[in-house]
Amino acid sequence: MVKDFKRIDMGKSMNKPKLKIKNLYKIFGPKGESFIDPVKNGISKQELLDNHGHVLGLNDINLDIPEQRIQVIMGLSGSGKSTLIRHINRLIEPTSGEITVDDEDILAMSQLQLREFRRKKTSMVFQKFALLPHRTVAQNVAYGLTIQGQHEGVAKEKSHKWIESVGLSGFEERYPSQLSGGMQQRVGLARALATDAPILLMDEAFSALDPLIRTDMQNILLDLQKDLHKTIVFITHDLDEALRIGDNIAILRDGKIIQKGNPQEIIMKPADNYISDFIKDINRGKVIEVRSIMQKGSSKGVSLDSSCPLEDALKILNNEKNNECSVVDDKGKKIGKVTLDAAISALFREKSLKKSEKYK
Amino acid sequence: MDWLAEFPSLGKRDLRDLKKGIDGSFREWSRSNGDAIEAFFDPLYFFLVWLEKLLIATPWPIILVLVAAFAYLGSRSWQLALGSVVSFMLIGYFGMWKDMMATISLISVATLICIAVGIPIGILMSRYDRVQSAITPILDLMQTIPIFVYLLPVVMLLGIGRVPGLIAVCVYALPPIIRLTNLGIRLVDKEILEAADAFGSSYRQKLFSVQIPLALPNIFAGVNQTIMMALAMVVIASMIGVKGLGMPVLQAVQNQYLTLGLMNGLAIVALAIIFDRVSQRYGQRLQAHRYGKEHE
Ligand SMILES: Nc1ncnc2c1ncn2[C@@H]1O[C@H](COP(=O)(O)OP(=O)(O)O)[C@@H](O)[C@H]1O
Ligand SMILES: [Mg+2]
């Protein structure tokens, strides 16, 4: 339980950005470019649609995605998540803006370079799996390699290890239609991993699965990530999933990023009411970690891990004589202290506000 | 008020001159180019004659074995294989063996030509919307224009015989395979195509590893319809000298030989049923993995 929420580091990663997105706009429609200025001047998505018949897909996106971390992009349906992730491998062309990968401008690539980039640098997992129904599991996993021109026999040999890593050994010769949804998405994941691309794009990859299966898949992904250290862009509309998976989270609304930060920052300092609403139903005791309510100083007695969730911390704090504990980082070094009072007020801040409004 | 009662038309003389002029120039054109055009179709003629002779020369037991094998491999059904063999034996027993072989060779060659011409055209239509909008009206025309109207110029050019008959059959049987190839490719799941793109497929890789395999059931339905339409043309093709089961039917109509007409007609129907069932079952097997098990 505690382990689930443990981060590789403090989330606010020191890794340099792998992917940089700057001033990205996407306006769907025949004359998208001519509406950049109105959009910059604040015309709303609805106005643009009603008066000009164009759809505002992305509105001034700026995002640096750090190397070897999981960047979650979250938002409700229609907020532009799929549009954004498809710009990274240029399945969708931007109306204006810049996208670089390892400081290489992907918008300047020719069709041939782009194809090579997609083969070697990125791979993608889809919401509805998008497997080839006429090919076996093994052939599906080998698909990316065969596209690179590798012989099918060799490709199948190489993909074997990935089939194993997602727990599908023994299913190599089955067809996708013979597998459950969860198993199909394991194939999708193995297919994406098999090309060894450093960037993994996942568009609501687990959204179509039952909650239990979804948790399984999240575990598989997190386990694999410990060894693989890919740069993952993970899209979801589910807050629990975002908090669980993400090292960093960006929240989209109507094509605009309204907050970005690590999970703790988003829970502790929601940027606006929209996000407060979003996070009001989460189990704060499970999600908030003691590092988020840490103060200067130190204390005698038991120390807590900085990534310990409040739920577990409460009991320990309650048992301590003066209701406070030191906080240590993952190397065991003391970095501060927490108090029971701070823990309790962090748990109830949101809810008490709501209640007092209600019972006025 | 006379001009209201009668539709204002071209004068009789002008009309006759117009028709004469067009006929004359076409006749002249076909006279000067006929040989070249005939030479162009020569390989087709030789292939057709060769196949027909081969089928007739092959001992009938071998043909029966081949029929059984073809029916069984296509449909995986013993009943259908047995039914096909019995039908062939009956048709042979009533003296129509040679005509049947001639018809089968015509249908086979026509189907092969339609596949070779139709599938590439269908692929082009699916790739370019402009090609689709250019070709669709031509296909509509091919399917609605009365057969005799396009038989005429073919006969004027190539005379009477197998090749003009074959061309007439192909013109009539080509549209369904083109349409269904185009449709099948256009219906391929967008997300799967996106996956192919995301992994860096070239157009050619996408075509051969995704679009055609996924469109295959539809393409095959097109092949099936093409075979059926080719069979339906057998009698009409016999009017321009194509040998086979159609010829006796034509004679029967002209001379009121009821039994002759019925027997050959039934033989054509039997062939149609066999081709249809075998190719349909084969088409269904192609889809086996496409849906969940319950659809198999
Ligand atoms: N090809 C398109 N043409 C026009 N509008 C589009 C197109 N694709 C997406 N949109 C619009 O862009 C917005 C964002 O869509 P999308 O990125 O699919 O959202 P999400 O993935 O967050 O549900 C939506 O309003 C959608 O209707
Ligand atoms: Mg989406």
Side-chain angles (χ1 to χ4, degrees), chain A residues 76-83 85-86 127 203-204 235 237:
Chain A
L76 299 175
S77 169
S79 57
K81 306 181 297 293
S82 296
T83 306
I85 203 171
R86 277 163 179 69
Q127 179 168 11
D203 186 6
E204 303 217 27
I235 296 224
H237 60 247

Side-chain angles (χ1 to χ4, degrees), chain A residues 70-114:
Chain A
I70 302 181
Q71 170 73 53
V72 165
I73 294 166
M74 192 175 70
L76 299 175
S77 169
S79 57
K81 306 181 297 293
S82 296
T83 306
L84 178 54
I85 203 171
R86 277 163 179 69
H87 275 84
I88 296 173
N89 56 1
R90 253 178 80 188
L91 287 175
I92 297 179
E93 299 285 340
T95 307
S96 94
E98 287 170 42
I99 306 166
T100 58
V101 173
D102 294 329
D103 295 323
E104 191 183 359
D105 182 2
I106 69 154
L107 299 178
M109 288 179 182
S110 67
Q111 282 303 311
L112 214 65
Q113 289 169 318
L114 180 61

Side-chain angles (χ1 to χ4, degrees), chain B residues 28-149:
Chain B
E28 210 161 281
W29 182 81
S30 70
R31 219 171 268 150
S32 53
N33 293 293
D35 288 343
I37 292 172
E38 237 168 274
F40 175 78
F41 287 112
D42 261 356
L44 209 59
Y45 175 79
F46 287 121
F47 179 54
L48 197 56
V49 170
W50 172 80
L51 186 65
E52 198 179 309
K53 281 194 174 144
L54 179 75
L55 285 179
I56 292 173
T58 309
W60 60 266
I62 296 183
I63 298 276
L64 288 184
V65 169
L66 289 178
V67 166
F70 157 82
Y72 180 72
L73 290 180
S75 68
R76 292 290 149 86
S77 146
W78 281 113
Q79 292 93 317
L80 201 53
L82 190 70
S84 310
V85 170
V86 170
S87 315
F88 268 62
M89 280 160 69
L90 280 175
I91 293 171
Y93 189 69
F94 285 103
M96 297 176 282
W97 186 267
K98 272 191 187 168
D99 283 341
M100 178 167 64
M101 291 302 122
T103 294
I104 290 178
S105 68
L106 177 79
I107 300 299
S108 312
V109 175
T111 305
L112 285 179
I113 292 173
C114 288
I115 289 174
V117 174
I119 291 182
I121 294 180
I123 290 171
L124 277 178
M125 280 173 78
S126 72
R127 183 170 186 188
Y128 304 106
D129 286 340
R130 292 174 73 177
V131 176
Q132 175 177 254
S133 39
I135 294 203
T136 305
I138 300 179
L139 296 182
D140 293 340
L141 193 73
M142 281 164 78
Q143 285 185 308
T144 47
I145 196 168
I147 295 156
F148 295 101
V149 174

Side-chain angles (χ1 to χ4, degrees), chain B residues 79-281:
Chain B
Q79 292 93 317
L80 201 53
L82 190 70
S84 310
V85 170
V86 170
S87 315
F88 268 62
M89 280 160 69
L90 280 175
I91 293 171
Y93 189 69
F94 285 103
M96 297 176 282
W97 186 267
K98 272 191 187 168
D99 283 341
M100 178 167 64
M101 291 302 122
T103 294
I104 290 178
S105 68
L106 177 79
I107 300 299
S108 312
V109 175
T111 305
L112 285 179
I113 292 173
C114 288
I115 289 174
V117 174
I119 291 182
I121 294 180
I123 290 171
L124 277 178
M125 280 173 78
S126 72
R127 183 170 186 188
Y128 304 106
D129 286 340
R130 292 174 73 177
V131 176
Q132 175 177 254
S133 39
I135 294 203
T136 305
I138 300 179
L139 296 182
D140 293 340
L141 193 73
M142 281 164 78
Q143 285 185 308
T144 47
I145 196 168
I147 295 156
F148 295 101
V149 174
Y150 69 77
L151 274 184
L152 234 119
V154 173
V155 171
M156 282 171 76
L157 261 180
L158 297 167
I160 278 192
R162 288 184 182 83
V163 169
L166 184 65
I167 291 172
V169 171
C170 286
V171 170
Y172 185 69
L174 193 56
I177 189 160
I178 297 181
R179 282 187 206 276
L180 281 158
T181 302
N182 175 37
L183 182 76
I185 293 179
R186 282 175 184 266
L187 285 180
V188 169
D189 187 342
K190 293 281 171 295
E191 210 183 20
I192 298 185
L193 288 178
E194 205 172 37
D197 282 332
F199 281 93
S201 301
S202 62
Y203 172 71
R204 186 179 270 269
Q205 286 172 324
K206 202 161 60 173
L207 181 66
F208 287 108
S209 69
V210 180
Q211 291 177 309
I212 289 181
L214 293 191
L216 214 51
N218 273 316
I219 295 177
F220 208 77
V223 174
N224 171 287
Q225 281 194 33
T226 290
I227 297 175
M228 291 303 105
M229 291 179 77
L231 265 169
M233 273 292 282
V234 161
V235 177
I236 290 168
S238 71
M239 293 177 69
I240 50 173
V242 176
K243 294 218 180 88
L245 293 168
M247 202 74 115
V249 175
L250 195 66
Q251 277 174 19
V253 171
Q254 282 158 356
N255 302 309
Q256 304 185 358
Y257 298 148
L258 179 62
T259 324
L260 181 73
L262 265 179
M263 273 181 359
N264 284 277
L266 284 175
I268 294 176
V269 171
L271 279 187
I273 292 177
I274 293 170
F275 277 121
D276 181 52
R277 289 300 128 83
V278 171
S279 61
Q280 257 185 28
R281 292 276 180 90

Side-chain angles (χ1 to χ4, degrees), chain A residues 145-157:
Chain A
L145 296 171
T146 55
I147 290 299
Q148 293 177 7
Q150 302 195 20
H151 192 270
E152 184 160 315
V154 181
K156 266 168 112 172
E157 192 74 31

Side-chain angles (χ1 to χ4, degrees), chain A residues 12-270:
Chain A
K12 207 176 202 147
S13 84
M14 297 157 291
N15 290 29
K16 69 174 175 28
K18 175 92 177 165
L19 263 154
K20 287 189 211 159
I21 299 172
K22 249 198 226 157
N23 307 116
L24 183 67
Y25 290 85
K26 176 68 189 181
I27 298 162
F28 290 106
K31 284 190 278 178
E33 273 136 62
S34 59
F35 293 105
I36 296 258
D37 282 330
V39 167
K40 279 183 182 165
N41 293 332
I43 186 175
S44 79
K45 184 170 173 166
Q46 200 58 44
E47 266 178 278
L48 186 68
L49 183 63
D50 292 346
N51 301 339
H52 307 286
H54 279 57
V55 179
L56 180 52
L58 295 175
N59 184 356
D60 196 15
I61 301 288
N62 289 282
L63 187 64
D64 284 356
I65 297 177
E67 190 158 35
Q68 304 191 340
R69 290 286 180 275
I70 302 181
Q71 170 73 53
V72 165
I73 294 166
M74 192 175 70
L76 299 175
S77 169
S79 57
K81 306 181 297 293
S82 296
T83 306
L84 178 54
I85 203 171
R86 277 163 179 69
H87 275 84
I88 296 173
N89 56 1
R90 253 178 80 188
L91 287 175
I92 297 179
E93 299 285 340
T95 307
S96 94
E98 287 170 42
I99 306 166
T100 58
V101 173
D102 294 329
D103 295 323
E104 191 183 359
D105 182 2
I106 69 154
L107 299 178
M109 288 179 182
S110 67
Q111 282 303 311
L112 214 65
Q113 289 169 318
L114 180 61
R115 217 184 283 157
E116 203 53 28
F117 170 77
R118 288 172 178 169
R119 286 178 185 178
K120 298 282 168 62
K121 293 285 182 63
T122 64
S123 58
M124 197 160 182
V125 185
F126 295 84
Q127 179 168 11
K128 282 181 258 143
F129 322 138
L131 303 175
L132 297 173
H134 62 292
R135 294 188 172 209
T136 62
V137 168
Q139 289 170 326
N140 265 290
V141 175
Y143 179 70
L145 296 171
T146 55
I147 290 299
Q148 293 177 7
Q150 302 195 20
H151 192 270
E152 184 160 315
V154 181
K156 266 168 112 172
E157 192 74 31
K158 283 189 193 164
S159 50
H160 190 79
K161 124 176 166 206
W162 296 109
I163 293 177
E164 206 170 274
S165 73
V166 297
L168 279 181
S169 303
F171 291 91
E172 287 87 349
E173 298 310 314
R174 302 283 185 92
Y175 286 89
S177 64
Q178 299 171 314
L179 305 179
S180 67
M183 286 162 91
Q184 289 190 39
Q185 195 58 304
R186 288 175 193 226
V187 179
L189 185 58
R191 172 176 71 176
L193 295 174
T195 58
D196 283 326
I199 298 172
L200 182 58
L201 306 174
M202 304 181 73
D203 186 6
E204 303 217 27
F206 303 153
S207 297
L209 306 175
D210 295 337
L212 284 178
I213 313 274
R214 193 185 307 173
T215 313
D216 277 352
M217 292 300 291
Q218 291 164 358
N219 287 336
I220 292 177
L221 182 68
L222 290 173
D223 275 351
L224 284 166
Q225 174 67 353
K226 274 186 211 140
D227 300 328
L228 298 176
H229 305 301
K230 302 225 178 231
T231 305
I232 300 178
V233 182
F234 189 100
I235 296 224
T236 181
H237 60 247
D238 177 31
L239 182 69
D240 289 324
E241 186 166 68
L243 295 173
R244 183 139 191 253
I245 295 271
D247 293 313
N248 291 296
I249 298 177
I251 299 177
L252 270 183
R253 185 179 53 183
D254 291 344
K256 217 173 167 60
I257 292 184
I258 47 176
Q259 187 171 12
K260 47 192 172 186
N262 65 45
Q264 299 293 308
E265 287 168 345
I266 285 177
I267 298 161
M268 300 305 290
K269 300 185 202 101

